[in-house]
Structure formats: structure tokens, C-alpha cells
Amino acid sequence: MADVGPELQLGALRAAADDRLAGQPQVTEADLIAECRAGARAHGVLQGGRADIAAISEYGERALRIGDEITRAGFDVQTVRLSGPALDEPVSRDQLHTRAADLAAACRRAGVGSASLTALRPAALAELQPSDVAEVLAEHPSLFTSVVVADGAEVDHAAAAFSGAVIRELASRDRDANFRFAAIANLGANAPLFPGSFSDGGAAGVSVALQSAGALLARARAAKPGDIAEAARLTQRCLQGQLGPLQDVLVPSCERHGLLFHGVDPSPACAPDAGIAEFLETVGGIRFGSPGTVATCAAVTTGIRSVGRPTVGYAGLMLPVLEDRVLARSWQEGRIDADSVIAYSSVCGAGLDTIPLPGSTQEHEVVAMIMDMAALSARWRKPLSARLMLAPVGSDPHRTKFRAPQVVNIDYPTA
């Protein structure tokens, strides 16, 4: 296997009210991902399928020190996470299991809460069965992983079918495990958001994302924008106001600790008490799922992509159905479905995120959803992903029953 290195990530940040931020928009929710990889390939913290636990712990300590400095500047760091590089050569079941066990052990030693094991490119799947990937995630609840189903204009049908089978396997083992797996398309390295995150295997660095739905909603309620164009400007100003103070602290901190700053993913992530859909309803004067939803998503995406900073990841509007109360209610009431979310993805970065599927959903239907996402990504060369929350066979056909605290359980819509 290639000589590669991991990335460490610091989780969600919450800004305290302090004088340094006076007169600027409050950074009410932000997600800082500090990804730390080996400074050179020769460091080899992941070599030959084995993880160098001591080396990963050393990078974890650097990330934690950065987190401490950010905390002293007025932010709360909630989690530390780690991402390994993508694999593009065949990997065996035993190698995958060994790498997963080593990485989980390194996380425990370093005090890292969770990790993205890898992104499996199509060539890496040659010696694997879907059950091998599902087994790793079931055995290691702290690990996430993904499969690459499109790169450039090409969709890999076999990888999509493999992903669908993984989703079915995961549903049979642990009803919450699909929260930690995604099929990804045209997503670049160093993206901070899980579960699609993976490193480039190069020098260690930091990426940042914002849990900014709450700040956007507060700004929209106060400003009451009168048209779609103003919605785009409001989004841009709010995100720039959040990223500026954070980057002012983060960049010099990275330099002090010998880490690169890779950039930001300005996609506004949801917080437990504030979802992105309520902001869209407020800023667009719509009911989510009604006419005007696509136009509002497009305007907000324009604002997100005009923040003017080095960007990584999706850099677009995210619509995680089961992590957002308004989206979850819209799904339950039948106002949105997988087809409409794919339609919104044509103008934003949504993909199919935390889509609720009853246990009676056939595997070929799961694969078809992944293929739709991958086809859209390939057509427009844009990063998208599919995280499909399939319930176990024989489970309640009327209601989701996921245990993850960030998931909103709903009744399945009736035909």
C-alpha cells in the first residue's frame, strides 16, 4: 500500500461573546476541522496497512493545542476527528480490518473522538466484499468511511452497486451505522465534513467548516430581505463575518504548530437547535418544498460560493433531511422526497443526505438513488454525496427509529 498519512480534525466551535468580536456577526455555531497528516510521505504514519499510533498521537496533540488556542479566543471546540487518505489500490479484508483497528486505537490514545478511515476508490474494491466494509464500521463505532462512485465525468456503476450493498449490510448489523457511510462523487481531498472526508496524503494541515445555520437564521429574521438577490448578499456577509474572526485565530495558530491551512468549506451545517431549512423559508418567503424552493436554494448557494476565501469540500448548501427539523417534517408530510432533493442538488451541494428509507426498500432502489446522485455530479463536475438511512428489514414500516442523538425520527410518508 502507498505510504500515506492521516488527518486530524477539531470539531464544532461555538463563539463566546467577547470584545474582539464586538460589532461583527456573532459566530454562534462553527465547525472547525483540523486535519493533520504526515508532514512528508516518508513519515509514513499509515504504512503497509498499519497505523503508526505514536505518530498519529503526536499530530493529535498538535491539533488539541490548536483547539486550546481557539478556545481561549472565544470558541468552544466540541470534538477532535481524524481522516485517513483515499485508497486507490486493491486492499484485502484483513488489511482493511488491521488499518481500522490501528486507527481506532490511535484515536483512543490521542483523545480523538472519531475518524474517517478512508475513501475507497473503485480500484480499491477489487478484493473486498460489501460485508467487509460493513463489518469494519459495525465493529468500530468511532469510524466513518466512504466509497467514490464518480470522478470527473465518469460514473462507476460497480462502485455504486457496491455502495448499495454496503448500505443494506449496515442496516442489518446496526440501524445507526449508515450515518457513518456515504457514497461520494467528485469530492476533493481535505474536505472537513464527514463521512466523505479524506486526506490527500501530503503535508499536515487544517480545514474549516461552519455550523452556521443559527447565525444565518438570526440575520434573516433581523434583516427581513425583500428579494432573492438580497438573500444571496445576506448569506455572503454573514458567512464572511463568521469566517474572518475564526481564520484570524486559526491561521497563525497553525503556523505555530507546523500545520498547513488548507481552506474553508463555507457550507452552513445544521446545529441541534437551528436548521438550514428554516433559514431558507425565512430568507426566501417560502414553505420548503413549495414553488420557489429551487430559486431560494440557488440564491443562497450563490452567497455561499462568494465568500472569497480558499475553499475546500462541498462549498454549497447542504440539506440533511434527518438532521433538520423543518426538512424532516417536510419529508414526513410528503412535500419533499428523494427526487425533489436531487432537483435541489442541481443548484446547490445537497446530494442525498440522511435520507430515510424503510426496511422494505429494495437494494436496487438504493443503488438507483446513488446512481442519480452520481450522474448529476458527473454531469456538472460538482461534489455531491449520498448518505441513505436505510432501516433494517422487518423494522417498523411506519416510523424511523434511529438512536443517534442528531437524527430526527419521523413517520414515513404514506402514499
Side-chain angles (χ1 to χ4, degrees), residues 15-209:
D18 78 52
D19 293 339
R20 191 179 59 80
L21 299 179
Q24 299 188 40
Q26 282 288 308
V27 188
T28 56
E29 288 288 346
D31 192 35
L32 170 69
I33 309 298
E35 50 170 37
C36 299
R37 292 181 299 283
R41 291 182 184 273
H43 285 221
V45 296
L46 285 172
Q47 281 192 36
R50 299 307 302 257
D52 184 334
I53 294 175
I56 292 175
S57 297
E58 192 269 333
Y59 285 111
E61 291 169 3
R62 292 195 207 179
L64 290 170
R65 288 195 291 271
I66 292 173
D68 289 341
E69 292 180 8
I70 293 168
T71 298
R72 289 195 293 272
F75 302 87
D76 294 333
V77 179
Q78 295 178 351
T79 59
V80 175
R81 301 190 293 188
L82 180 153
S83 292
L87 294 176
D88 54 10
E89 297 178 358
V91 57
S92 70
R93 174 191 178 278
D94 288 346
Q95 287 174 318
L96 190 69
H97 276 258
T98 297
R99 179 172 290 220
D102 288 348
L103 189 54
C107 287
R108 290 191 296 270
R109 174 168 170 172
V112 174
S114 57
S116 178
L117 176 61
T118 187
L120 292 163
R121 298 193 186 279
L125 305 177
E127 299 176 13
L128 291 174
Q129 297 297 319
S131 58
D132 299 331
V133 177
E135 194 174 66
V136 162
L137 291 177
E139 288 181 1
H140 300 285
S142 64
L143 298 185
F144 294 66
T145 200
S146 59
V147 170
V148 178
V149 297
D151 191 7
E154 298 297 324
V155 175
D156 193 295
H157 294 228
F162 188 98
S163 298
V166 171
I167 290 168
R168 170 60 71 190
E169 285 278 349
L170 285 171
S172 70
R173 295 165 186 264
D174 178 353
R175 71 173 61 239
D176 290 290
N178 272 308
F179 189 77
R180 297 181 283 113
F181 175 78
I184 61 174
N186 284 303
L187 180 63
N190 307 328
L193 297 175
F194 275 35
S197 176
F198 62 93
S199 77
D200 60 14
V206 173
S207 301
V208 178

Side-chain angles (χ1 to χ4, degrees), residues 11 34 55 69 110 121 127 137 152 155 183 189 193 246 252 267 284 308-309 318 329 348 381 384 392 405:
E69 292 180 8
R121 298 193 186 279
E127 299 176 13
L137 291 177
V155 175
L193 297 175
L246 181 56
S267 308
R309 298 176 185 276
M318 310 297 288
R329 184 173 66 247
C348 64
R381 307 289 183 94
L384 296 174

Side-chain angles (χ1 to χ4, degrees), residues 362-410:
Q362 297 299 303
E363 188 174 312
H364 71 86
E365 296 176 279
V366 174
V367 174
M369 293 181 192
I370 295 171
M371 289 294 297
D372 282 348
M373 176 278 296
L376 182 63
S377 171
R379 175 65 180 82
W380 298 110
R381 307 289 183 94
K382 63 186 298 180
L384 296 174
S385 62
R387 184 165 48 155
L388 306 179
M389 302 295 287
L390 179 65
V393 173
S395 59
D396 189 337
H398 305 295
R399 186 170 178 80
T400 65
K401 292 187 176 179
F402 298 107
R403 298 181 297 269
Q406 60 270 57
V407 171
V408 180
N409 283 302
I410 62 169

